[in-house]
Amino acid sequence: MEHFSLLWCLPSGLLILIVSARYCVGLDNESSPKPNFVLMMVDDLGIGDIGCYGNDTIRTPNIDKLALDGVKLSQHIAAAPLCTPSRAAFMTGRYALRSGLGAVGRVQVILFLGGSGGLPPSETTFAKLLQREGYTTAIVGKWHLGLNCESRNDHCHHPNNHGFNYFYGLPFTLFNDCKLGEGSDVLADIQLKLWNLTVLLGLGLLTLVCVHAAGLLEVSRMLMVLVALLWLLAFGVWYVPFRLHTWNCILMRNQEVVEQPMNLETLTERLVNEAEHFVERNQHKPFMLFLSLAHVHTPLFTSKGFAGKSKHGIYGDNVEEVDWVIGRMVNAIDRLNLSNRTLIYFTSDHGGFIEDSDAHGQKGGWNGIYRGGKAMGGWEGGIRVPGIFRWPGRLAAGKVIDEPTSLMDVYPTLVNLAGGQLPKDRVLDGHDLMPLMEGRTERSEHEFMFHYCGMYLNAVRWHPPGSDAIFKVHFFTPNFSPPGAGGCYEIGICMCHKEFVTYLDPPLLFNLATDPSESTPLSSETEPRYAEVLQRVSHAVEEHLQTLQPMPNQLSWENVLWRPWLQPCCGTFPFCSCSEANGTVPSAA
Ligand SMILES: *[C@@H]1O[C@H](CO)[C@@H](O)[C@H](O)[C@H]1NC(C)=O
Ligand SMILES: *[C@@H]1O[C@H](CO)[C@@H](O)[C@H](O)[C@H]1NC(C)=O
Ligand SMILES: *[C@@H]1O[C@H](CO)[C@@H](O)[C@H](O)[C@H]1NC(C)=O
Ligand SMILES: *[C@@H]1O[C@H](CO)[C@@H](O)[C@H](O)[C@H]1NC(C)=O
Ligand SMILES: *[C@@H]1O[C@H](CO)[C@@H](O)[C@H](O)[C@H]1NC(C)=O
């Protein structure tokens, strides 16, 4: 017996040695068990603009190839139909109002870099958790989640303080103001009123001065000074939008403003180069890159090679340029032999902006068969976006998943894959996608999804267990204008509060599984489960509301309005101006 165990001791000892040696080798960076992540998000891209989602005239071969080689999600849902709240939810894995980014009134996104609202420092982004697992992280492109709190350089909302080792791009977003001559997105109608007020006050002041000078009437000096001050104030506020080009449209590298105003002509090329360089610099250790494109937000700008090439004007040219960017990023991963240990993700922050068009044609996207678009609350066109994951060797090629999934799912999926811990002190609204994508389960964990319009609960989606149905209940709908139109053409963008919406009692009910275009509301006559659905949903709403905690509103006027002392600036304020020399090679992380 003793001989027997001795005889066994030696080989098993050797085996342990070999296994542990291999384990150690397995931990070196060449065959690191931690996958890399490349996340690519387009701005305002409609689901109907992509070949693999049914478009047959726009050419998107690279995106289509990504879907062929990976998993395509057909019911991938943004947590909000607008940039700032959708991105906040994406970064935190939680509905935007949990971080105070749900709009109360007409301000629905961050409007000025010189405001104080943004993603609160108390939020933990997935990037921060990946850093804790040894990842090097970068965001290249658009942020739009705030910058400063109290002073020009505190950068309390800056990506570097939200888990990103490296930032190159737009702390704000692309806006019409960024291209001179395109008009203003921000408060254009208020600006007109202010102009009228300025003219009125100016005329009034002139009259007072003349009447006084001519000795027709004794006008008190106080009154003249008061009118003059009011005139100055109105003029000053009216003038602000003309400075937005310089104030909002800037590029930063980490904490430094490197270009102000930014040069759109070379922007795409510079963003892709930065993204590629980051991957090259970090290819031997785990990394996460978030390439957040400025395209296809207006003003549409197209690099030379793409102008006039598509069948859909400048908008189509933009989508085809996006496809080229995606192709270059995927090629970079493949060329570096990183494909088998890199999870690639492609999506859009929300649906296309269908109201955006002018004499030259459509400038916003196309949401396919889905009703509504950007900023239209719970209507499907504003929240159903493309969602593609590719990971050769781990995810089956060509798989299509029709179950409901959310952009908020990226958070737990990445953190789990990286071996990290999900936060236990707060509610997460996303679910790990790997079980679904690897086919270990057939059902999405999203039995209910809550669709917000600003901070107001607009609609609820219910995927009842054991059923294919996808019920959607709308509690209110945005008022389209002119009446009968498919969007808010008169104001330019829909809003979520009071006079801008119609409250519905009973609510509208659709079954997206049979009516994805939300064209025929169901009633107790046409849907046997009608009463049950309304009851289950109202119960779910009650439970959901109990998980919410009051948060300071980051989009209040007080937090949004421009303040000179918060304005990022290179050079001397207010004459901020600098430009990046071509071909600058970044030195950081
Ligand atoms: C393809 O996209 C263009 C541009 O957005 C749109 O006009 C067209 O209707 C789309 N085609 C299909 C088949 O969805
Ligand atoms: C592993 O990473 C370290 C630093 O992170 C680097 O210096 C080294 O070259 C890498 N090793 C390999 C084999 O790539
Ligand atoms: C990638 O892998 C191929 C074949 O395994 C090899 O020939 C090539 O040199 C590798 N490229 C890099 C950049 O490591
Ligand atoms: C990736 O994995 C597949 C199979 O899992 C293998 O055939 C292929 O050679 C691998 N590619 C690289 C670049 O390592
Ligand atoms: C930057 O590039 C443009 C066109 O590509 C060129 O005209 C200009 O001279 C370059 N500027 C510098 C500083 O290299």
Side-chain angles (χ1 to χ4, degrees):
M1 260 320 207
E2 238 153 70
H3 278 249
F4 185 77
S5 46
L6 258 178
L7 264 176
W8 273 103
C9 238
L10 205 62
S12 48
L14 266 176
L15 195 70
I16 287 169
L17 265 178
I18 292 168
V19 168
S20 43
R22 288 213 52 168
Y23 184 66
C24 288
V25 170
L27 280 183
D28 93 347
N29 18 13
E30 264 314 303
S31 47
S32 162
K34 290 188 196 287
N36 306 310
F37 305 113
V38 174
L39 317 173
M40 299 180 288
M41 183 182 278
V42 191
D43 199 0
D44 285 16
L45 177 69
I47 191 169
D49 291 325
I50 309 285
C52 61
Y53 281 93
N55 201 302
D56 50 12
T57 43
I58 288 192
R59 286 159 302 184
T60 54
N62 293 305
I63 299 169
D64 302 348
K65 174 86 167 45
L66 206 58
L68 274 182
D69 294 344
V71 174
K72 183 175 95 173
L73 306 173
S74 71
Q75 196 181 159
H76 199 42
I77 305 295
L82 270 173
C83 305
T84 300
S86 169
R87 285 158 190 268
F90 174 70
M91 290 309 315
T92 60
R94 292 143 53 80
Y95 291 112
L97 79 167
R98 293 197 197 277
S99 44
L101 283 157
V104 184
R106 66 178 293 144
V107 181
Q108 304 187 70
V109 298
I110 287 167
L111 292 181
F112 304 102
L113 266 183
S116 60
L119 191 63
S122 56
E123 287 296 329
T124 308
T125 65
F126 62 80
K128 214 177 243 178
L129 297 183
L130 293 182
Q131 274 183 333
R132 284 183 203 157
E133 298 309 310
Y135 278 73
T136 306
T137 56
I139 170 169
V140 173
K142 160 174 171 165
W143 174 243
H144 208 184
L145 289 172
L147 188 59
N148 292 321
C149 289
E150 287 169 359
S151 65
R152 184 161 298 154
N153 291 313
D154 68 36
H155 294 175
C156 65
H157 305 298
H158 188 285
N160 285 160
N161 290 326
H162 272 303
F164 290 96
N165 296 89
Y166 185 60
F167 171 52
Y168 176 86
L170 301 70
F172 188 59
T173 177
L174 189 60
F175 249 39
N176 274 341
D177 313 83
C178 299
K179 190 170 159 191
L180 289 177
E182 286 281 326
S184 174
D185 278 325
V186 181
L187 315 177
D189 54 334
I190 291 188
Q191 202 188 6
L192 185 66
K193 287 185 190 133
L194 278 166
W195 175 243
N196 293 341
L197 187 67
T198 309
V199 171
L200 216 69
L201 285 167
L203 287 176
L205 185 64
L206 203 68
T207 316
L208 286 180
V209 171
C210 293
V211 164
H212 184 77
L216 292 174
L217 201 75
E218 190 64 24
V219 182
S220 90
R221 190 153 294 179
M222 269 305 266
L223 183 66
M224 283 196 279
V225 170
L226 191 72
V227 175
L229 282 179
L230 283 176
W231 178 82
L232 256 177
L233 187 71
F235 179 79
V237 179
W238 167 80
Y239 180 67
V240 162
F242 293 108
R243 296 294 301 167
L244 288 177
H245 179 238
T246 312
W247 288 344
N248 274 342
C249 308
I250 70 173
L251 283 180
M252 290 180 86
R253 171 171 287 120
N254 290 321
Q255 311 277 321
E256 192 192 345
V257 179
V258 293
E259 192 159 281
Q260 187 169 20
M262 70 183 165
N263 172 5
L264 294 182
E265 256 169 49
T266 53
L267 182 63
T268 313
E269 186 74 27
R270 284 184 289 168
L271 292 181
V272 186
N273 286 343
E274 287 280 342
E276 264 187 5
H277 288 152
F278 173 79
V279 170
E280 279 162 11
R281 291 198 297 279
N282 292 285
Q283 56 178 300
H284 298 299
K285 47 193 183 188
F287 65 83
M288 182 273 282
L289 166 69
F290 177 22
L291 176 59
S292 171
L293 295 175
H295 280 86
V296 293
H297 205 292
T298 46
L300 302 163
F301 68 97
T302 319
S303 309
K304 281 196 194 79
F306 296 90
K309 292 284 164 66
S310 80
K311 292 198 178 117
H312 293 284
I314 181 167
Y315 181 81
D317 297 348
N318 258 248
V319 177
E320 296 192 1
E321 189 172 349
V322 163
D323 184 73
W324 170 81
V325 170
I326 304 304
R328 253 190 71 178
M329 273 327 291
V330 174
N331 279 342
I333 298 297
D334 293 352
R335 173 168 51 81
L336 296 168
N337 287 349
L338 295 175
S339 15
N340 284 5
R341 48 191 170 98
T342 303
L343 177 63
I344 296 184
Y345 172 59
F346 171 80
T347 195
S348 171
D349 60 351
H350 52 72
F353 191 7
I354 54 182
E355 287 102 336
D356 207 354
S357 60
D358 64 12
H360 304 295
Q362 172 199 18
K363 295 200 294 178
W366 172 250
N367 299 313
I369 59 168
Y370 303 105
R371 186 160 170 185
K374 174 176 179 174
M376 293 188 203
W379 286 122
E380 201 69 2
I383 53 178
R384 194 183 284 227
V385 293
I388 301 171
F389 283 90
R390 190 201 82 166
W391 189 357
R394 185 85 189 253
L395 297 179
K399 191 178 170 83
V400 177
I401 294 175
D402 297 323
E403 287 283 295
T405 59
S406 166
L407 269 72
M408 295 185 288
D409 297 341
V410 168
Y411 188 113
T413 305
L414 265 51
V415 173
N416 285 344
L417 283 170
Q421 289 283 319
L422 293 172
K424 296 212 168 61
D425 61 341
R426 58 195 67 200
V427 181
L428 271 194
D429 298 302
H431 296 291
D432 191 335
L433 283 172
M434 286 310 280
L436 199 58
M437 294 202 296
E438 289 189 301
R440 284 182 274 132
T441 175
E442 294 293 314
R443 297 285 298 190
S444 160
E445 283 184 71
H446 288 285
E447 183 181 342
F448 293 96
M449 265 189 197
F450 302 93
H451 304 303
Y452 278 91
C453 189
M455 68 170 301
Y456 309 103
L457 184 57
N458 188 171
V460 175
R461 174 186 306 251
W462 183 37
H463 187 30
S467 157
D468 288 337
I470 307 274
F471 292 113
K472 195 160 145 207
V473 176
H474 292 253
F475 303 117
F476 63 84
T477 48
N479 297 340
F480 290 162
S481 58
C488 301
Y489 289 91
E490 278 168 8
I491 338 177
I493 193 159
C494 294
M495 284 181 238
C496 310
H497 59 294
K498 291 177 239 142
E499 67 266 33
F500 299 100
V501 301
T502 302
Y503 298 95
L504 305 158
D505 190 17
L508 276 182
L509 173 65
F510 300 98
N511 181 355
L512 296 179
T514 50
D515 179 18
S517 307
E518 298 173 284
S519 60
T520 319
L522 300 171
S523 65
S524 48
E525 277 99 64
T526 54
E527 173 52 54
R529 299 182 73 175
Y530 183 82
E532 182 207 352
V533 173
L534 294 194
Q535 201 189 5
R536 286 289 288 126
V537 163
S538 105
H539 188 69
V541 168
E542 259 170 55
E543 282 186 352
H544 170 68
L545 294 180
Q546 273 166 18
T547 70
L548 299 177
Q549 269 157 15
M551 279 295 291
N553 182 5
Q554 300 291 328
L555 295 174
S556 62
W557 280 111
E558 185 196 340
N559 276 327
V560 161
L561 280 185
W562 180 81
R563 263 154 289 173
W565 60 91
L566 294 183
Q567 175 62 47
C569 178
C570 57
T572 321
F573 184 82
F575 310 103
C576 316
S577 166
C578 55
S579 82
E580 200 176 36
N582 310 357
T584 313
V585 182
S587 51

